[in-house]
Amino acid sequence: MRTIYINGRFLTQPMRGVNRFAYNICKAMAGLEQPFVIVCPSCNVHSDYNISMFQIVHFGIGHSHLWEQIILPFFFIGKRNYLLINLTGLGTILIRQKITTIHDLSFLENPSWFSRSYYRFYRVMTPLAVRTSRHIITVSEFSKNEILRFYPSVKASRVSVVYNAVDTDLFHPMSGASESRYALTVSSIDPRKNFRRLIEAYKGIEGLKLYIVGSHSRVFGEQTGSLDKSCNVKYLGRVSDEELVRLYSQARCFIFPSLYEGFGLPPLEAMACGCPVLASDIPVLREVCGDAAVYFDPRLVNGMYETISQFLNEGQDYMEQLRKNGMENVKRFSMEQSAFAFVQVIRQCV
């Protein structure tokens, strides 16, 4: 029987984005009693994670891409009957007995969204990771189609969809929460999240502040620190999970203006907390949000403004129905179902 190893580099980083997906999949697979060992760099695990339920082995020096690409392969010298799972992206290209998770190909869709070094690294490494993997996991049908579009040599049978999902133990309506006078948006602050257009559209909205939760990253090509800070826009930076739940639960609405996503988890988090969602009319968000969101063209500032204004003028019955639709939509995605699908892929590969 093959030993299942998981690339645990993500445990050295804050729990956000793809790292949250990786952590939740590991928790859910442990709940399904799927045996696995997480191989981590020798540095400390980040305090965001509870690792008490995992079997962890620390190995090597460093914790950067160098550890992943060069150091980690040494761990497998002399090992034959194993399978390595990479949950957050590339993983080492020097190992062929692996499953690789590709969350999106946004760097190919629009290189200008990212720094040159980031784009060049992933442009070279991603096709090598695809070529050297036994199987590819991705998080939506949209992302699967993107992989097949950008890498036409890949057979569709080598790519499986394992949906992302909300941790409903964490994200749920906060008891006693009352609606506040703000709209909320949550994301990393980068060009493809389209905050410039949202802020421009929001200049015409009166009586309702826009709260922006998110942090900057050096991997993005366009500096967003120069975004107009109008009087009705408030930047909150990165917040704790508990604070995020409160913000979702008390917001009048959640607005997600992104131009490109591999899945788009924040709208589902908002829905799980009972917050009505306004989202970009892009294929992946239609796939994820279904009929439970109000959609707008993310490239049209006037259209975004009109959608927000019209929503805010709707009555309470409409708001309540949108909340109910969102709570029902979240049920389509569960980490237990996703973990089960992941385990099925693993068993096919062993």
Side-chain angles (χ1 to χ4, degrees):
M1 182 176 181
R2 289 183 187 269
T3 302
I4 307 302
Y5 293 98
I6 292 177
N7 176 354
R9 177 175 172 244
F10 71 91
L11 289 176
T12 67
Q13 304 163 338
M15 184 166 48
R16 56 177 180 258
V18 297
N19 293 344
R20 187 182 295 277
F21 170 85
Y23 177 63
N24 286 336
I25 280 286
C26 288
K27 285 200 304 180
M29 286 202 300
L32 293 175
E33 298 185 353
Q34 167 63 51
F36 59 86
V37 178
I38 301 180
V39 185
C40 282
S42 294
C43 60
N44 292 333
V45 169
H46 196 280
S47 59
D48 283 352
Y49 303 95
N50 175 8
I51 59 172
S52 60
M53 74 290 284
F54 302 142
Q55 180 182 351
I56 292 182
V57 174
H58 292 274
F59 178 81
I61 58 173
H63 56 89
S64 65
H65 284 299
L66 181 64
W67 178 87
E68 197 167 51
Q69 296 298 329
I70 304 298
I71 305 300
L72 180 58
F74 281 94
F75 176 82
F76 294 96
I77 291 177
K79 296 179 174 63
R80 297 185 179 275
N81 204 19
Y82 70 88
L83 184 68
L84 175 64
I85 312 296
N86 300 291
L87 292 167
T88 60
L90 297 180
T92 176
I93 63 173
L94 299 179
I95 291 175
R96 290 183 173 270
Q97 298 290 355
K98 68 175 182 283
I99 295 173
T100 297
T101 306
I102 296 177
H103 290 262
D104 68 69
L105 294 174
S106 53
F107 67 95
L108 292 177
E109 177 66 19
N110 192 331
S112 68
W113 289 336
F114 301 89
S115 66
R116 290 183 180 179
S117 59
Y118 182 97
Y119 168 70
R120 289 170 179 167
F121 178 80
Y122 279 90
R123 183 188 63 180
V124 171
M125 297 296 286
T126 301
L128 292 175
V130 168
R131 193 179 310 152
T132 57
S133 296
R134 294 191 61 181
H135 203 83
I136 304 297
I137 295 288
T138 194
V139 292
S140 64
E141 292 293 340
F142 169 78
S143 287
K144 177 176 180 176
N145 291 334
E146 290 288 89
I147 292 169
L148 299 178
R149 175 167 76 97
F150 283 109
Y151 304 117
S153 63
V154 177
K155 294 181 179 179
S157 59
R158 287 187 58 220
V159 185
S160 295
V161 174
V162 174
Y163 280 121
N164 208 332
V166 176
D167 181 356
T168 52
D169 290 337
L170 174 62
F171 292 98
H172 55 77
M174 180 179 287
S175 59
S178 59
E179 185 180 289
S180 297
R181 298 298 297 174
Y182 63 86
L184 179 68
T185 188
V186 175
S187 180
S188 56
I189 311 291
D190 74 83
R192 81 182 154 109
K193 302 304 183 179
N194 203 28
F195 286 152
R196 285 188 182 278
R197 288 190 180 94
L198 174 59
I199 292 172
E200 186 66 28
Y202 215 83
K203 287 179 179 179
I205 304 297
E206 296 181 357
L208 189 74
K209 283 198 171 187
L210 173 66
Y211 288 2
I212 298 179
V213 172
S215 57
H216 297 266
S217 173
R218 60 186 174 83
V219 305
F220 302 117
E222 177 186 316
Q223 294 300 313
T224 54
S226 60
L227 286 174
D228 292 333
K229 295 178 175 60
S230 60
C231 60
N232 62 342
V233 176
K234 184 176 182 179
Y235 293 80
L236 302 181
R238 189 174 177 228
V239 301
S240 68
D241 286 343
E242 293 74 17
E243 176 66 5
L244 183 56
V245 171
R246 185 191 68 79
L247 288 167
Y248 278 136
S249 298
Q250 295 185 343
R252 181 80 177 275
C253 64
F254 177 77
I255 307 173
F256 199 63
S258 183
L259 298 169
Y260 187 101
E261 295 289 329
F263 181 83
L265 187 60
L268 282 189
E269 292 175 347
M271 290 178 184
C273 294
C275 183
V277 170
L278 285 63
S280 294
D281 194 357
I282 56 177
V284 70
L285 293 184
R286 286 280 184 175
E287 179 182 349
V288 171
C289 297
D291 295 330
V294 177
Y295 294 97
F296 54 81
D297 188 330
R299 296 187 181 274
L300 299 179
V301 172
N302 288 340
M304 198 182 305
Y305 164 75
E306 290 172 2
T307 299
I308 297 170
S309 296
Q310 183 176 345
F311 169 82
L312 294 178
N313 288 327
E314 295 287 353
Q316 191 61 38
D317 289 345
Y318 177 83
M319 302 284 190
E320 188 59 32
Q321 187 60 54
L322 201 55
R323 288 189 183 96
K324 289 180 179 178
N325 291 348
M327 298 286 284
E328 192 64 28
N329 182 63
V330 170
K331 295 177 183 177
R332 296 196 293 132
F333 308 93
S334 79
M335 198 51 70
E336 290 73 22
Q337 292 174 347
S338 296
F340 180 80
F342 216 114
V343 169
Q344 295 305 109
V345 174
I346 290 172
R347 290 175 180 173
Q348 292 173 13
C349 291
V350 297

